[in-house]
């Protein structure tokens, strides 16, 4: 076979690198004792290498048109791969402190990242399902990775059972779409639905959207999120909140815009309902939470609702808004989870909001950065989180969806209450026992994400331009 035979595979080089690298690290971990650190380092380097390869890849299509690389795919793959790498870095100290040195953890994240890459580049229903399942199977295992913890095992089991249900719904929807259009390719489906869609195809669309709503933990398919976030080891929760959300939102956008541009009003109705329900539940359900990981689960549900506001607009501006939202959401979430991972005393990790009492006096720097990130999550100007919401609400208003934008703003105001409640606990309550010093890798991630959120308004142009180019490539 000549080199030219393999040339058509070049769009999938990042995924191939990750898959081969994961196999090599698996062999290393299996045959060499105490190899966890080497495997973790190797996994981080592979993910950074994959992100760099994606950045320089030209546009292309492979696997018979089912795998596409364009500006949209490049933007989101870089985010997903970097989020996965940061999640591994954030877990290093936790694994050592909890004596959970498992080389398999990084390998599972690598394999999950391969699935994410496949999802983001999927151009037909088969690639969509393959990518989704490859990502999800690794996530089920990693949720239950702490085998000595009943909560972790329960989290993995709940995620697996509900994930299997959602996969069944998604597959049934795919089979209906294929049955009524005669093709699995997004371009073929788009041609078949140019003149509108019959009731059977709409049913298929609803089932597929239901499966994707589960993956982004949007209401009413959010029920797994609080339990899994609370039960899974904290670095795993940080990973769940970041990278898989990006891949699932990417798939949502590519499917809606790429396969169903002819029936926008039909899928807009679904997304408007899901966005309103997610924003509202995320705002109100978090108020009564005492566990900070559980609170972050409801926060995540709310934020996915805000992101779907941009997609519901169905325009290039809306997609651009979602891309900016996901980039800023990634920085806010990873930074916040750095602070949650730093909540550790001599007896072990703590997770209750009351454990943060008086943090401004025992650890002023940590309290400042956590307050900064919580203000950003609440959407307080001039922090990055404000601009994230501004772009999606602006896109909704440009598309004439004023009611949706107003409900979003009101939900954002309600949601600000529980973020401010944590800040009040840190700055005005009597100090609780202090935390052990924060490890260096968490300080680095927190510093970068915190400063990004604080200084984004000074020079937003690079992210705006990249997101605009990525959005236009989808239309």
């Amino acid at each position: 076979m000549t080199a030219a035979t393999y040339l058509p595979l070049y769009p999938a080089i990042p995924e191939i690198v990750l898959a081969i690298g994961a196999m090599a690290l698996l062999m290393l971990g299996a045959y060499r004792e105490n190899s966890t650190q080497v495997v973790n380092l190797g996994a981080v380097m592979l993910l950074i290498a994959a992100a760099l390869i994606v950045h320089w890849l030209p546009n292309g299509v492979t696997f018979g048109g089912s795998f596409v690389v364009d500006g949209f795919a490049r933007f989101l793959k870089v985010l997903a791969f970097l989020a996965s790498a940061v999640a591994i870095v954030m877990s290093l100290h936790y694994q050592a402190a909890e004596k959970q040195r498992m080389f398999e953890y990084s390998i599972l994240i690598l394999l999950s990242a391969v699935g994410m890459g496949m999802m983001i580049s999927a151009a037909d229903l088969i690639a969509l399902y393959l990518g989704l399942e490859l990502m999800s199977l690794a996530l089920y295992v990693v949720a239950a990775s702490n085998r000595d913890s009943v909560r972790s095992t329960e989290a993995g089991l709940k995620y697996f059972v509900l994930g299997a249900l959602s996969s069944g719904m998604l597959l049934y929807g795919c089979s209906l779409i294929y049955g009524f259009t005669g093709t699995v390719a997004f371009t073929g489906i788009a041609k078949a639905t140019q003149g509108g869609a019959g009731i059977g195809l709409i049913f298929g669309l609803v089932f597929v959207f239901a499966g994707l709503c589960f993956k982004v933990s949007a209401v009413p398919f959010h029920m797994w999120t609080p339990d899994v976030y609370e039960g899974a080891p904290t670095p795993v929760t940080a990973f769940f909140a970041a990278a898989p959300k990006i891949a699932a939102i990417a798939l949502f956008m590519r499917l809606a815009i790429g396969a169903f541009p002819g029936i926008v009003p039909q899928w807009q109705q679904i997304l408007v309902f899901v966005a309103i329900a997610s924003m509202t539940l995320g705002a109100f359900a978090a108020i009564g939470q005492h566990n900070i990981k559980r609170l972050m689960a409801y926060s995540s549900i709310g934020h996915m609702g805000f992101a779907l506001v941009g997609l519901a607009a169905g325009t290039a501006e809306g997609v651009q808004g979602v891309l900016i939202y996901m980039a800023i959401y990634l920085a806010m979430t990873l930074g916040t989870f750095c602070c949650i991972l730093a909540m550790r005393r001599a007896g072990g990790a703590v997770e209750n909001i009351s454990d943060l009492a008086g943090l401004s006096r025992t650890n002023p720097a940590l309290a400042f950065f956590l307050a900064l990130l919580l203000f950003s999550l609440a959407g307080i100007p001039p922090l990055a989180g404000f601009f994230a919401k501004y772009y999606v609400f602006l896109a909704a208003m440009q598309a004439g969806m004023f009611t949706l934008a107003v409900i979003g703003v009101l939900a954002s105001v309600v949601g600000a209450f529980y973020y401010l409640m944590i800040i009040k606990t840190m700055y005005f309550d009597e100090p609780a026992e202090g935390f052990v010093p924060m490890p260096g890798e968490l300080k680095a991630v927190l510093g970068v994400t915190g400063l990004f959120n604080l200084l984004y308004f000074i020079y937003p142009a690079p992210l705006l331009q990249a997101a605009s180019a990525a959005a236009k490539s989808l239309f």
Side-chain angles (χ1 to χ4, degrees), residues 44 47 81-91 334 338 445:
V44 171
L47 285 161
F81 293 161
L82 289 179
S84 303
V86 172
I88 295 174
V89 170
M90 285 166 62
S91 70
L334 290 174
C338 278
V445 175

Side-chain angles (χ1 to χ4, degrees), residues 347-361:
V350 289
E351 294 173 4
N352 286 329
I353 293 168
S354 57
D355 292 309
L356 289 165
L359 186 66
S360 61
R361 276 168 276 179

Side-chain angles (χ1 to χ4, degrees), residues 116-130:
M116 288 177 220
M118 186 86 184
M119 283 167 71
I120 294 167
S121 284
D124 68 21
L125 297 174
I126 295 171
L128 172 155
Y129 185 70
L130 280 174

Side-chain angles (χ1 to χ4, degrees), residues 63-68 118 121-130 170-193 201 208 251 254-256 258-260:
F63 299 127
S66 63
F67 189 99
V68 61
M118 186 86 184
S121 284
D124 68 21
L125 297 174
I126 295 171
L128 172 155
Y129 185 70
L130 280 174
L170 185 112
L171 269 181
Y172 181 57
C174 289
S175 67
L176 283 173
I177 291 170
Y178 172 65
F180 284 100
T181 60
T183 178
V184 291
F186 291 173
T187 48
I189 295 166
K191 277 183 193 162
T193 55
L201 189 62
V208 171
L251 190 53
R254 199 181 278 285
L255 181 72
F260 300 103

